[in-house]
């Protein structure tokens, strides 16, 4: 089980409860808020603000107590999902600047934990945005939103 908590409503951090060992552990201190979390076996994927507004994706290995930063892009990544050794997310790094009249256009990216390779897996048509990806095995489903 995972949840976020804070001290005096200012600093928030994530906590994970391990049912097997019956203990809760802090995942990471952050100055903002977790957007979403996704859990697969011993891997917890979450977002953490790194510059005040942009979130980067991190993975916490519950068994090894190791946090790994997955993304290093200065633009917004969100709506991540993990299954086995693949993490997928919506990413606005290729969106036109400034954003169009309907907002950011998101592509889908994937990171392979075994190879360390990141790749763009879906590129929307002009005026479309892809989001809410979910992965199972090697299948990815997502929403294609017409922004016009």
């Amino acid at each position: 089980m995972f949840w976020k908590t804070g001290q005096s409503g200012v600093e928030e951090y994530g906590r994970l409860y391990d049912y097997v060992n019956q203990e809760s552990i802090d995942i990471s201190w952050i100055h903002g808020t977790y957007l979403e979390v996704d859990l697969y076996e011993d891997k917890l994927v979450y977002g953490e603000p790194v510059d005040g507004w942009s979130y980067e994706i991190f993975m916490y290995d519950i068994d090894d107590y190791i946090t790994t930063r997955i993304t290093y892009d200065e633009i917004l990544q969100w709506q991540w999902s993990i299954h086995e050794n693949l993490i997928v997310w919506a990413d606005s790094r290729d969106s036109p600047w400034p954003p169009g009249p309907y907002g950011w256009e998101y592509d889908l990216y994937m990171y392979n934990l075994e190879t360390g390779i990141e790749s763009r897996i879906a590129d929307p048509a002009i005026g479309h945005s892809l989001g809410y990806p979910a992965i199972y095995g090697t299948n990815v489903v997502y929403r294609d939103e017409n922004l016009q």
Side-chain angles (χ1 to χ4, degrees):
M1 174 174 48
F2 179 84
W3 71 96
K4 69 177 183 176
T5 186
Q7 293 181 338
S8 305
V10 178
E11 292 183 337
E12 296 177 341
Y13 58 96
R15 296 201 65 124
L16 179 72
Y17 184 76
D18 181 342
Y19 285 101
V20 175
N21 297 317
Q22 297 185 356
E23 65 180 355
S24 63
I25 52 175
D26 294 338
I27 300 298
S28 176
W29 286 94
I30 61 173
H31 301 281
T33 182
Y34 286 102
L35 279 177
E36 302 157 353
V37 297
D38 197 24
L39 181 65
Y40 178 77
E41 293 181 348
D42 63 341
K43 298 173 184 76
L44 177 76
V45 178
Y46 62 96
E48 187 172 318
V50 294
D51 64 6
W53 74 276
S54 179
Y55 285 78
E56 296 295 335
I57 300 171
F58 292 82
M59 183 195 69
Y60 180 74
D61 187 310
I62 297 165
D63 291 339
D64 296 331
Y65 305 101
I66 297 172
T67 300
T68 303
R69 186 170 175 174
I70 302 299
T71 58
Y72 290 86
D73 199 287
E74 296 177 359
I75 207 70
L76 186 61
Q77 294 92 26
W78 69 325
Q79 301 170 340
W80 38 85
S81 178
I82 182 171
H83 187 259
E84 296 177 348
N85 288 310
L86 300 174
I87 301 170
V88 296
W89 68 90
D91 195 303
S92 63
R93 76 179 78 172
D94 297 313
S95 186
W97 183 259
Y102 302 101
W104 295 97
E105 295 176 9
Y106 288 91
D107 298 343
L108 297 183
Y109 278 77
M110 179 174 64
Y111 183 82
N112 186 316
L113 295 170
E114 288 181 355
T115 65
I117 296 174
E118 176 187 292
S119 55
R120 184 164 71 176
I121 60 171
D123 182 9
I126 300 296
H128 285 245
S129 185
L130 308 178
Y132 302 100
I135 186 168
Y136 185 82
T138 58
N139 297 306
V140 178
V141 295
Y142 57 89
R143 182 178 78 183
D144 183 347
E145 183 178 3
N146 185 343
L147 299 176
Q148 300 176 359

